């Protein structure tokens, strides 16, 4: 049984190969590929392996770009540095993933799933792959146009600390302490903002990573946040969102 590792970080590639040899010595790592370009060339010239470990983001593109150049491809176990919340839509039938740095027990589970070939079929694998492409190629909003008097100002999302709903109005709060109303709902913001950078903590607040300066335990299994710029109202992560919030911040 053969496998190929597509990974642009040398240490990560070596560690993955070592773990595979420990957990599944019957799998022979026949190639270690470090880029989309070299991967495309290798798969055009060589026999397909039984399994591919594929890093989603490479220095010269996406791992998906390699698969796009193939008429057919073997089973794939994706690897990614994205945290679990950011890829909450990732794990589907017939497709598995490993979060970096890779944990031995996670790799063991992925290999067992591969060996058992559980509920895998060509149609399902293709549909899953297309969904993953859409997930990682999705374009999120980069800026907001805000009306200030008779003029409009543009704010990059990097300048925004958090969004708050108050009396039926949504306002954006910049890191410099400015506040402006916008014509969006919290539900809409949750769909158009990159989940790596923004998290909806309750019905009223959506916060950026940079705005969270302190986190305190709060009663009823909730969390109390201190934001910057300072928010006079208590900013509380709802109980049902606490677990994912911790994963989002890699706590």
């Amino acid at each position: 049984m053969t496998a190929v590792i597509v990974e642009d970080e040398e240490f990560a590639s070596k560690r993955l190969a070592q773990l595979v040899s420990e957990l599944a010595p019957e799998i022979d790592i026949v190639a270690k590929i470090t880029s989309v370009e070299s991967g495309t060339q290798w798969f055009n010239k060589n026999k397909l392996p039984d399994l591919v470990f594929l890093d989603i983001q490479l220095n010269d593109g996406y791992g998906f770009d390699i698969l796009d150049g193939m008429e057919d491809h073997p089973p794939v176990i994706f690897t990614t540095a994205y945290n679990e919340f950011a890829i909450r839509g990732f794990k589907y039938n017939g497709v598995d993933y490993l979060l970096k740095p890779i944990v031995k027990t996670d790799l063991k589970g992925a290999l067992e799933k591969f060996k058992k070939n559980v509920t895998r079929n060509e149609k399902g694998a293709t549909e899953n792959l297309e969904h993953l492409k859409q997930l990682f190629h999705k374009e999120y909003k980069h800026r907001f146009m805000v009306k200030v008097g008779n003029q409009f100002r543009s704010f990059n999302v990097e300048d925004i600390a958090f969004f708050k709903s108050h009396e039926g109005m949504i306002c954006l709060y910049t890191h410099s302490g400015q506040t402006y109303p916008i014509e969006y709902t919290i539900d809409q913001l949750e769909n158009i903002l990159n989940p790596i950078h923004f998290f909806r903590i309750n019905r009223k607040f959506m916060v950026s990573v940079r705005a969270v300066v302190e986190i305190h335990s709060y009663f009823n299994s909730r969390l109390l946040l201190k934001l910057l710029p300072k928010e006079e109202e208590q900013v509380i992560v709802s109980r049902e969102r606490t677990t994912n919030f911790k994963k989002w911040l890699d706590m």
Side-chain angles (χ1 to χ4, degrees):
M1 189 177 297
T2 60
V4 167
I5 294 175
V6 182
E7 168 62 65
D8 57 7
E9 297 177 14
E10 183 178 1
F11 176 80
S13 179
K14 288 182 177 180
R15 173 173 169 75
L16 178 55
Q18 179 182 351
L19 291 176
V20 170
S21 67
E22 294 175 6
L23 294 170
E26 70 278 12
I27 296 179
D28 181 22
I29 305 296
V30 296
K32 295 179 182 178
I33 295 165
T34 60
S35 68
V36 172
E37 182 180 2
S38 60
T40 300
Q41 293 175 356
W42 191 93
F43 283 105
N44 284 336
K45 296 178 181 179
N46 294 275
K47 179 182 176 181
L48 288 180
D50 298 298
L51 175 65
V52 177
F53 294 94
L54 185 66
D55 188 6
I56 288 177
Q57 275 198 302
L58 301 166
N59 287 329
D60 61 342
Y62 286 94
F64 300 124
D65 298 333
I66 298 176
L67 302 182
D68 286 341
M70 303 164 62
E71 292 185 5
D72 189 19
H73 62 79
V76 178
I77 295 177
F78 293 94
T79 62
T80 175
Y82 282 80
N83 64 40
E84 187 173 353
F85 178 80
I87 55 174
R88 60 189 180 279
F90 198 130
K91 202 163 189 177
Y92 291 87
N93 177 37
V95 175
D96 215 337
Y97 73 93
L98 298 170
L99 292 177
K100 295 193 286 185
I102 292 172
V103 178
K104 190 172 184 179
T105 53
D106 293 341
L107 175 59
K108 181 179 179 181
L111 289 172
E112 289 176 351
K113 182 176 180 180
F114 161 68
K115 291 177 184 178
K116 292 177 181 178
N117 214 25
V118 176
T119 61
R120 186 179 185 85
N121 59 73
E122 184 176 350
K123 180 180 178 182
T126 301
E127 290 176 349
N128 291 332
L129 180 59
E130 289 303 315
H131 189 96
L132 295 180
K133 289 180 185 177
Q134 293 174 14
L135 178 68
F136 280 88
H137 285 91
K138 180 177 179 180
E139 286 292 327
Y140 294 103
K141 195 167 183 64
H142 295 289
R143 63 186 62 86
F144 287 84
M145 291 294 292
V146 175
K147 188 174 182 180
V148 182
N150 295 322
Q151 299 179 337
F152 286 89
R153 291 189 59 185
S154 177
F155 291 92
N156 294 328
V157 293
E158 293 84 1
D159 299 325
I160 300 171
F162 58 89
F163 298 87
K164 176 184 175 182
S165 173
H166 180 66
E167 296 182 351
M169 179 182 295
I170 305 296
C171 290
L172 69 78
Y173 292 70
T174 69
H175 290 290
S176 59
Q178 299 169 304
T179 306
Y180 299 97
I182 57 173
E183 296 182 355
Y184 288 89
T185 67
I186 289 290
D187 289 340
Q188 289 172 332
L189 292 172
E190 193 171 17
N191 287 322
I192 64 177
L193 290 170
N194 192 326
I196 296 175
H197 305 301
F198 288 87
F199 188 93
R200 182 177 179 176
I201 60 171
N202 55 38
R203 291 181 297 175
K204 297 182 61 176
F205 282 91
M206 191 157 187
V207 303
S208 72
V209 172
R210 289 176 54 199
V212 181
V213 293
E214 289 184 13
I215 305 171
H216 303 274
S217 297
Y218 200 64
F219 73 90
N220 203 16
S221 302
R222 295 178 294 174
L223 298 172
L224 177 64
L225 307 184
K226 178 181 179 181
L227 303 181
L228 193 65
K230 185 178 180 181
E231 168 58 33
E232 296 300 330
E233 180 179 341
Q234 282 193 325
V235 182
I236 299 172
V237 182
S238 64
R239 182 172 58 181
E240 61 270 20
R241 295 176 183 268
T242 295
T243 298
N244 279 337
F245 178 78
K246 290 179 177 179
K247 291 177 181 179
W248 178 64
L249 286 181
D250 196 26
M251 294 175 63

